[in-house]
Amino acid sequence: MSMKRDYYETLGVDRDATDEEIKRAFRKLAFQYHPDHNRGDGAEEQFKEINEAYEALSDSGKRAAYDRFGHSGGEGLFGRGFDGFDFGFGDIFDAFFGGTTTASPQAPQRGAALHYTITITLEEAAFGTEKEIMVSRTENCSTCQGTRCKPGSQPSRSSNCNGAGQVRRVQASIFGRFTNITTCPQCHGEGRIVTEPCPQCQGTGTEKRRRNILVKFPAGIDDGSQIRLRGEGDAGTRGGPSGDFYVSISVREHEFFIRDGDDILYEIPINFAQAALGVEVEVPTLDGNAKLKLNAGCQTGTVFRLKNKGIPHIRGRGRGDQLVAVSVVTPESLTKEQRQLFEKLTNSLDSPKRTHQKR
């Protein structure tokens, strides 16, 4: 059987320590070894030992008996140890370090946010559009309007907390009296009890409904953008506001346009003759076809700019441009006549000279 440590040694104080020094030492050690604060091995046993020592030394009569007889003569006084207390770790800790615990009544809560992803065309993103989106969401009950009560009835006040939503419990401990405030278990913090629930929503105050919501997409919106519609999400609880509705934008890939910020990129293929002689071509744009004159001797990679034919600026006036890149296409197959013409052309043309690149 292990020897019980000296109480003064347990608290780390001298035998002539004052009541205030004993109290201060206990407070420090109780905080250090409290099981809610220290989950290390042996912390709970040390906490019990600390409490037993403090119970003996904080009472003048028990301390005098301990100073005279030690552990052997104090079984009647100290034998109960920690197990003799009629309150738990939390009660001791709260009583000594705070004195009061509180619980707030259930406050109004905002409804959940809803999310939806929609795909639109590049033209719709460029010039803006409107679309109706069907949403399934939680709304206040159409019968009780969210009160949860049967029409014509009213909720009754909770008798357990008298409508406060909280229950106050006063406890006594070796440290004095302290008040513990908890949420009322009868009304769950609301202060009211629904005695006649609404038959439509079964007393929940909400119901699922489908709604068509009109969403406006501004001109210039881009892929990955998000629109927030305030208050179009699920209904709140206990009188809280509705959540928001978030619409994420996905822009469908275009057949031949590529978006680059507010500019539009387009590649136009031409043949060798058109590149050599120059030609006027029709180029598709977001506004319809436009004429573009390509100069003689046009090379692959040459870029022409069509002003204000791009995407409207979403946060300002004006539009981006359309950039038209030329691509000279080499024919993969030739007729006999075309081959003869190319052979004559080859014999009449000088071989291209290598251009020296700067390093």
Side-chain angles (χ1 to χ4, degrees):
M1 184 174 179
S2 61
M3 293 289 294
K4 186 178 292 189
R5 277 205 304 166
D6 179 81
Y7 287 150
Y8 291 100
E9 180 185 347
T10 299
L11 295 181
V13 296
D14 296 330
R15 300 190 74 85
D16 58 352
T18 64
D19 291 343
E20 183 60 33
E21 289 174 335
I22 291 174
K23 182 178 180 181
R24 187 162 53 246
F26 169 73
R27 180 170 184 167
K28 179 181 179 180
L29 292 171
F31 181 82
Q32 181 179 352
Y33 292 105
H34 190 279
D36 289 345
H37 183 72
N38 186 337
R39 300 187 181 277
D41 293 338
E44 182 174 337
E45 290 302 320
Q46 286 179 286
F47 187 70
K48 291 180 180 180
E49 188 179 15
I50 292 165
N51 274 280
E52 182 178 331
Y54 183 73
E55 181 191 18
L57 301 183
S58 61
D59 182 275
S60 59
K62 293 179 181 180
R63 182 178 180 181
Y66 178 73
D67 288 343
R68 184 174 182 182
F69 302 107
H71 292 297
S72 60
E75 290 298 323
L77 295 175
F78 319 123
R80 291 181 304 125
F82 182 83
D83 295 332
F85 292 140
D86 60 355
F87 44 87
F89 288 133
D91 292 332
I92 296 174
F93 195 72
D94 290 338
F96 198 85
F97 295 105
T100 303
T101 57
T102 61
S104 301
Q106 294 190 25
Q109 291 186 355
R110 177 182 293 275
L114 299 180
H115 299 266
Y116 188 90
T117 299
I118 189 171
T119 301
I120 61 177
T121 67
L122 179 62
E123 288 82 0
E124 290 174 329
F127 301 115
T129 187
E130 294 183 356
K131 291 184 179 293
E132 278 195 344
I133 299 177
M134 179 173 286
V135 177
S136 177
R137 67 184 183 186
T138 300
E139 297 184 357
N140 286 330
C141 174
S142 57
T143 300
C144 69
Q145 306 304 319
T147 65
R148 301 185 296 145
C149 298
K150 179 180 179 180
S153 68
Q154 294 291 332
S156 60
R157 178 180 294 182
S158 171
S159 58
N160 193 46
C161 65
N162 198 29
Q166 300 175 334
V167 177
R168 305 171 71 90
R169 181 166 58 96
V170 179
Q171 288 182 296
S173 73
I174 60 172
F175 309 111
R177 294 166 61 86
F178 67 98
T179 303
N180 185 30
I181 304 176
T182 59
T183 300
C184 175
Q186 186 180 48
C187 67
H188 306 291
E190 295 187 33
R192 305 179 307 164
I193 300 174
V194 176
T195 55
E196 296 184 77
C198 170
Q200 175 70 19
C201 63
Q202 307 301 316
T204 64
T206 60
E207 59 184 348
K208 278 287 188 181
R209 296 183 66 89
R210 289 183 176 272
R211 295 287 187 187
N212 286 327
I213 299 177
L214 182 65
V215 182
K216 296 182 179 181
F217 302 89
I221 198 166
D222 202 355
D223 184 80
S225 299
Q226 192 176 70
I227 294 175
R228 179 173 69 172
L229 302 179
R230 296 182 182 275
E232 294 291 356
D234 281 344
T237 56
R238 293 184 291 278
S242 296
D244 297 332
F245 181 40
Y246 294 89
V247 182
S248 298
I249 313 300
S250 174
V251 179
R252 187 181 299 118
E253 185 177 342
H254 199 273
E255 181 182 2
F256 40 77
F257 290 141
I258 297 176
R259 180 171 179 172
D260 181 18
D262 286 344
D263 290 336
I264 291 292
L265 309 182
Y266 175 74
E267 184 179 76
I268 183 168
I270 61 175
N271 60 42
F272 282 118
Q274 290 172 321
L277 302 175
V279 66
E280 186 175 81
V281 294
E282 279 198 343
V283 177
T285 72
L286 293 173
D287 302 303
N289 290 340
K291 290 185 178 182
L292 175 64
K293 185 176 181 179
L294 306 181
N295 300 325
C298 188
Q299 303 293 317
T300 292
T302 302
V303 177
F304 295 86
R305 184 180 296 271
L306 299 178
K307 288 285 189 179
N308 299 318
K309 291 296 183 181
I311 305 292
H313 302 314
I314 193 169
R315 291 186 178 87
R317 297 179 180 179
R319 297 172 60 173
D321 301 329
Q322 179 167 322
L323 307 179
V324 182
V326 174
S327 175
V328 181
V329 180
T330 302
E332 296 181 358
S333 61
L334 297 172
T335 65
K336 183 178 180 180
E337 181 182 3
Q338 289 171 337
R339 179 174 292 276
Q340 292 173 347
L341 291 172
F342 268 106
E343 289 174 352
K344 291 180 180 180
L345 184 61
T346 299
N347 294 330
S348 65
L349 292 175
D350 295 330
S351 297
K353 294 181 179 180
R354 180 184 297 275
T355 57
H356 295 282
Q357 297 180 348
K358 295 182 179 179
R359 293 185 179 181

